[in-house]
């Protein structure tokens, strides 16, 4: 199950990078929105994230049972374990808010979004931060689970790419917020 979760995580990461870059361009007004291919990829990613969450919950429950059975749970020593789990649940909550914010309505063939105010901006910046924490704390175990040898050589490059894309996503939300303030 862990191997399937690792493969699923890698696929989610690739789709997230595509979604983040293209969505950022759309929010910044660089490319027009409403692309059905990108929308379909986003829904595929959402389904994959739901499956990843279910697997993560199952694995967490199994781990907690094993810790309880061993009689030595070491909760204080497992900060990274809990950071990964809590950031994952934060990501799920914030993705749900992302879906609510960006699920627009079509009125006479024109795609309309709901208001994007301060609260929406805050939730989306928090989502970017939660994704950053979740991905950055899980990238090493992901590479190990996938059997990637010598990943340390490109680990820093991968972190740089992820950081730049997450920064651009955050900036796109700010630009989008500012565009709403002008309208």
């Amino acid at each position: 199950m862990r191997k399937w979760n690792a493969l699923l995580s890698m696929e989610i990461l690739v789709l997230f990078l595509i979604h983040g870059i293209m969505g950022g361009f759309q929010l910044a007004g660089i490319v027009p929105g409403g692309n059905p291919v990108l929308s379909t990829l986003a829904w595929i990613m959402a389904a994959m994230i739901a499956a990843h969450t279910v697997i993560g919950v199952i694995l967490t429950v199994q781990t907690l049972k094993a810790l309880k059975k061993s009689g030595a749970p070491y909760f204080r020593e497992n900060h990274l374990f809990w950071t990964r789990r809590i950031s994952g649940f934060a990501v799920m909550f914030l993705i749900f808010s992302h879906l609510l914010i960006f699920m627009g309505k079509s009125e006479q063939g024109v795609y309309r979004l709901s208001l994007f105010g301060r609260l929406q901006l805050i939730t989306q910046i928090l989502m970017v931060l939660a994704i950053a924490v979740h991905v950055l704390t899980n990238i090493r175990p992901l590479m190990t689970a996938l059997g990637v040898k010598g990943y340390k050589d490109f680990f820093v490059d991968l972190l740089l790419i992820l950081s730049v894309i997450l920064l651009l996503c955050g900036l796109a939300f700010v630009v989008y917020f500012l565009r709403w303030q002008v309208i």
Side-chain angles (χ1 to χ4, degrees):
M1 187 178 310
R2 291 184 191 278
K3 185 72 164 186
W4 286 107
N5 201 31
L7 292 171
L8 192 59
S9 297
M10 190 52 109
E11 292 167 359
I12 291 168
L13 189 56
V14 169
L15 287 176
F16 167 73
L17 295 175
I18 293 168
H19 182 76
I21 292 168
M22 294 308 299
F25 286 155
Q26 288 177 3
L27 291 177
I30 297 171
V31 297
N35 186 326
V37 173
L38 291 177
S39 179
T40 302
L41 287 177
W43 283 110
I44 290 169
M45 182 173 60
M48 294 170 89
I49 290 169
H52 176 66
T53 301
V54 169
I55 293 170
V57 168
I58 291 169
L59 292 173
T60 300
V61 168
Q62 288 175 352
T63 300
L64 292 176
K65 284 181 180 177
L67 289 173
K68 185 177 180 182
K69 186 177 179 182
S70 73
Y74 300 113
F75 285 111
R76 286 188 172 188
E77 291 80 4
N78 290 322
H79 292 294
L80 190 55
F81 172 83
W82 290 109
T83 300
R84 291 174 178 151
R85 295 322 186 261
I86 292 168
S87 67
F89 285 113
V91 167
M92 284 306 302
F93 172 74
L94 294 165
I95 284 176
F96 182 71
S97 74
H98 183 75
L99 288 171
L100 291 175
I101 291 168
F102 289 102
M103 284 180 53
K105 299 173 182 113
S106 183
E107 297 173 8
Q108 299 172 346
V110 177
Y111 187 72
R112 303 270 185 228
L113 288 173
S114 304
L115 172 69
F116 194 81
R118 285 189 180 119
L119 180 62
Q120 290 83 357
L121 176 63
I122 291 168
T123 62
Q124 298 315 288
I125 297 296
L126 288 173
M127 181 184 69
V128 170
L129 293 173
I131 289 171
V133 170
H134 191 67
V135 170
L136 296 177
T137 59
N138 281 293
I139 201 74
R140 283 188 178 164
L142 174 63
M143 293 298 159
T144 302
L146 292 174
V148 177
K149 296 186 190 275
Y151 68 87
K152 293 177 183 177
D153 296 338
F154 69 94
F155 183 71
V156 174
D157 295 336
L158 185 60
L159 291 180
L160 177 63
I161 291 167
L162 286 170
S163 298
V164 167
I165 290 173
L166 288 167
L167 175 65
L168 292 176
C169 289
L171 288 173
F173 287 125
V174 171
V175 167
Y176 188 65
F177 170 77
L178 293 173
R179 288 176 62 208
W180 264 97
Q181 301 311 305
V182 174
I183 294 177

